[in-house]
Amino acid sequence: MDPRIREHAETIVEHSIELEAGDDLVIHLPSEAEDLAVALHEYAGDIGANPVYLNNSTRADRAFLRAREDDFELPEHKLALFEAADAFVIARGGGNVSETVDVDPETTAAHNRATRPVQQARLSKTWCLTQFPTEGRAQLAGMSTEEYENFVYDAVSLDWEAQAEFQQQMVDRLNDAEEVRIESGEETDVTMSIAGNSALNDDGKANLPGGEVFTAPVKESVNGTVHFDLPLYRQGREIEDVRVTFEDGRVTEFSAGRNEDVLEGVFNTDENARYLGELGIGMNRAIDRFTYNMLFDEKMGDTVHMAVGAAYPETVGEGNEVNESAEHVDMIVDMSEDSVIELDGEVVQEDGTFVFEDREARTE
């Protein structure tokens, strides 16, 4: 076994989920990540935790969704497992990133609505979403398998204490602010209130790699237009060149240069899928390239991302409404050029550089 896999498992167990004796752990990984599952079982055994291993197969998911098509039911047995568990480890991987390309977006939306209580049960527990490097993901990223393995393991093995200190500078500024304005290029100019909400420091806990600071906008406060100029992968299809207009928080107009029907399916999942649930600011300088993997791409320095759909309740302050939805879909804006982030009218980032960092030093 590659020793980096055991290091990855150690980071997950000791840093991300802080596994303890007696914890009931659900390990949900694709078959390609069996070595990571083995390493996690070793650590769980040493600690005295109780693992259950589930295989995450996109081929099986596709078969079920295409056979059922609609009228989905809540899987009570799966819900019971998730409610009983103390912690979850979920890894992305898989061989064919386009496996679900021929699943109707409306079918996916219907399934997400039916299984939302399962998602809520998982999010209420300690969890870690990570990545196992596979050939399919390497191909999508335009890298050799070895290059992609190095990229993934470098990103998950940061000094997370130092990264947390760096990101806390932005957390503190967001928590002292009431309004955010984001401008980029000629098409993105959007404002939103974050008054009363909390910014959180993603330092490799729930997401590994971590590397962002995120909060929730006040639901009906978002106004303006956004050009999401970096693409995203959804249901095995690339959605690119997305443009969205917000009025009083709600998406009123949208377009995409490619696979607009998939984007429409997201917005039509439920009413709250047309509202923003998250504003995130990428701060991980170790992630220095776009790889068509949102777990990494949203953490890149020089980016912001906005997620339509569900808000994380812990980011929403008392008295503000938590946006509840069966969706949570992140989209990214490149902030490296002709861009600013303002908090209450004060610039905190310009052309990708934060006011508390040196541009020349960060590019060395």
Side-chain angles (χ1 to χ4, degrees), residues 1-13:
M1 182 186 298
D2 187 329
R4 295 175 298 180
I5 296 175
R6 282 197 168 88
E7 293 174 8
H8 190 183
E10 182 179 11
T11 301
I12 292 170
V13 166

Side-chain angles (χ1 to χ4, degrees), residues 35 83 98 122 124 127 170 192:
D35 279 353
E83 288 178 336
S98 299
R122 177 178 64 79
S124 71
W127 56 276
M170 193 63 193
M192 64 192 71

Side-chain angles (χ1 to χ4, degrees), residues 237-266:
R237 282 174 276 188
E238 182 182 9
I239 307 173
E240 62 181 10
D241 207 22
V242 173
R243 290 172 170 81
V244 174
T245 299
F246 295 94
E247 294 181 9
D248 297 329
R250 189 176 187 274
V251 173
T252 56
E253 297 180 29
F254 66 89
S255 66
R258 186 179 183 191
N259 288 316
E260 186 175 304
D261 62 320
V262 181
L263 183 65
E264 184 176 13
V266 169

Side-chain angles (χ1 to χ4, degrees), residues 40 138 144 163 168 193 225 250 263 269 274 276 336-337:
L40 288 168
S144 68
Q163 185 68 25
Q168 189 62 38
S193 171
T225 58
R250 189 176 187 274
L263 183 65
T269 299
R274 288 179 177 258
L276 280 189
S336 61
E337 296 180 357

Side-chain angles (χ1 to χ4, degrees), residues 223-352:
N223 285 284
T225 58
V226 184
H227 177 203
F228 295 103
D229 47 359
L230 292 177
L232 68 148
Y233 242 71
R234 176 79 175 176
Q235 292 180 228
R237 282 174 276 188
E238 182 182 9
I239 307 173
E240 62 181 10
D241 207 22
V242 173
R243 290 172 170 81
V244 174
T245 299
F246 295 94
E247 294 181 9
D248 297 329
R250 189 176 187 274
V251 173
T252 56
E253 297 180 29
F254 66 89
S255 66
R258 186 179 183 191
N259 288 316
E260 186 175 304
D261 62 320
V262 181
L263 183 65
E264 184 176 13
V266 169
F267 290 138
N268 289 342
T269 299
D270 51 50
E271 175 57 25
N272 285 339
R274 288 179 177 258
Y275 288 84
L276 280 189
E278 179 192 2
L279 168 66
I281 300 171
M283 299 187 68
N284 188 335
R285 298 297 184 196
I287 301 174
D288 59 359
R289 69 192 79 181
F290 183 78
T291 61
Y292 291 95
N293 185 339
M294 192 60 69
L295 181 62
F296 290 77
D297 297 339
E298 69 175 4
K299 312 300 192 319
M300 286 191 299
D302 300 352
T303 66
V304 299
H305 58 277
M306 303 174 204
V308 292
Y312 296 107
E314 58 268 34
T315 64
V316 180
E318 185 176 354
N320 286 342
E321 180 181 353
V322 177
N323 195 48
E324 296 184 352
S325 172
E327 289 287 6
H328 182 93
V329 178
D330 296 287
M331 295 178 283
I332 303 175
V333 180
D334 182 352
M335 300 290 289
S336 61
E337 296 180 357
D338 193 22
S339 302
V340 295
I341 301 174
E342 295 180 358
L343 300 180
D344 295 335
E346 179 181 350
V347 174
V348 294
Q349 186 197 72
E350 185 171 5
D351 296 343

Side-chain angles (χ1 to χ4, degrees), residues 28-32 53-58 61 90-94:
H28 197 192
L29 311 182
S31 58
E32 292 86 351
Y53 181 24
L54 304 180
N55 182 28
N56 179 14
S57 167
T58 53
D61 290 342
I90 305 162
R92 292 177 177 171

Side-chain angles (χ1 to χ4, degrees), residues 353-364:
T353 300
F354 296 99
V355 295
F356 45 81
E357 67 176 342
D358 184 275
R359 173 174 286 276
E360 292 184 3
R362 77 173 179 81
T363 56
E364 289 179 353

Side-chain angles (χ1 to χ4, degrees), residues 97-154:
V97 297
S98 299
E99 190 64 56
T100 57
V101 69
D102 53 358
V103 176
D104 190 320
E106 293 184 5
T107 297
T108 300
H111 181 255
N112 288 344
R113 287 192 295 269
T115 58
R116 184 164 169 259
V118 176
Q119 179 193 48
Q120 290 176 312
R122 177 178 64 79
L123 291 175
S124 71
K125 305 299 179 71
T126 300
W127 56 276
C128 174
L129 172 65
T130 191
Q131 178 71 44
F132 189 82
T134 60
E135 293 178 358
R137 281 291 180 176
Q139 185 176 31
L140 184 63
M143 300 184 197
S144 68
T145 302
E146 181 181 6
E147 183 183 16
Y148 187 66
E149 289 173 348
N150 293 336
F151 170 78
V152 169
Y153 291 127
D154 286 348

